[in-house]
């Protein structure tokens, strides 16, 4: 794994796109998310009833798709490690669009494009990434988000 400074990332990384490995969205994952959030709508947790919908089966919650960001970012093989990083925290999103549902059993991957990286104060950097969740075998992505995080070095 390559290690770079936050300044090097700010100088050379803008516009860089990285892609994760594929991850399967299982029914078990969907069910656990439903339990954690209290969203047990049948299109997520009842395969028999969901077969009767235009989706043809159960689908992942939109917020489950969004919450895959940390998992998918951990599966980017060529992502450099930031030297001296102490922590990173979510700061929020500028926009999120759910374009297509993720059906149970489908594989997804994350596409991350660094849009901006600025130093807010010494040792605190704000990065904005375009985060796209692609569905294997589908032309249209499941989701596109512009997400902001803070990095402390």
């Amino acid at each position: 794994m390559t290690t770079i400074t936050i300044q090097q990332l700010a100088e050379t990384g803008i516009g860089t796109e990285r892609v994760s490995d594929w991850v399967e969205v299982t029914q078990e994952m969907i069910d656990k998310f439903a339990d954690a959030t209290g969203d047990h709508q049948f299109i997520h947790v009842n395969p028999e009833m969901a077969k009767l919908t235009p989706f043809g089966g159960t689908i992942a919650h939109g917020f489950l798709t969004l919450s895959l960001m940390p998992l998918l970012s951990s599966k980017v093989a060529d992502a450099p490690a930031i030297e001296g990083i102490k922590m990173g925290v979510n700061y929020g999103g500028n926009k999120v669009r759910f374009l297509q549902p993720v059906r149970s059993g489908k594989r997804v991957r994350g596409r991350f494009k660094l849009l901006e990286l600025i130093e807010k104060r010494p040792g605190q950097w704000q990065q904005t990434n375009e985060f796209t969740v692609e569905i294997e075998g589908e032309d249209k992505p499941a989701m596109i988000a512009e997400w902001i995080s803070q990095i402390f070095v």
Side-chain angles (χ1 to χ4, degrees):
M1 177 180 288
T2 306
T3 302
I4 63 172
T5 66
I6 192 81
Q7 290 85 0
Q8 288 172 314
L9 183 59
E11 292 166 5
T12 64
I14 306 302
T16 301
E17 199 170 74
R18 301 196 187 280
V19 180
S20 76
D21 293 334
W22 293 103
V23 171
E24 183 180 355
V25 177
T26 64
Q27 187 61 51
E28 179 184 13
M29 185 185 294
I30 294 168
D31 292 343
K32 286 181 178 180
F33 191 85
D35 289 341
T37 62
D39 183 352
H40 292 92
Q41 187 176 162
F42 78 93
I43 61 172
H44 305 303
V45 298
N46 187 325
E48 292 307 312
M49 286 181 66
K51 281 182 191 175
L52 304 175
T53 70
F55 304 122
T58 56
I59 59 170
H61 306 72
F63 287 131
L64 169 56
T65 303
L66 177 62
S67 74
L68 292 174
M69 189 180 316
L71 173 62
L72 294 173
S73 67
S74 75
K75 301 214 177 273
V76 176
D78 63 346
I82 298 172
E83 185 178 294
I85 190 168
K86 295 176 184 166
M87 68 176 172
V89 295
N90 282 322
Y91 191 67
N94 290 332
K95 61 182 174 182
V96 177
R97 296 292 181 266
F98 300 107
L99 305 173
Q100 178 171 230
V102 177
R103 289 171 177 77
S104 176
K106 282 289 207 168
R107 293 191 333 155
V108 298
R109 69 179 177 188
R111 184 173 296 277
F112 301 87
K113 182 177 182 182
L114 183 59
L115 301 177
E116 182 179 63
L117 181 59
I118 55 174
E119 190 170 24
K120 299 299 279 185
R121 60 181 58 98
Q124 181 180 349
W125 292 74
Q126 182 171 295
Q127 74 171 354
T128 304
N129 277 290
E130 181 181 81
F131 171 51
T132 304
V133 176
E134 300 174 338
I135 307 168
E136 189 173 39
E138 304 282 338
D139 293 331
K140 193 174 182 181
M143 187 202 79
I144 297 176
E146 192 171 285
W147 205 255
I148 306 165
S149 56
Q150 302 273 322
I151 299 171
F152 295 84
V153 292

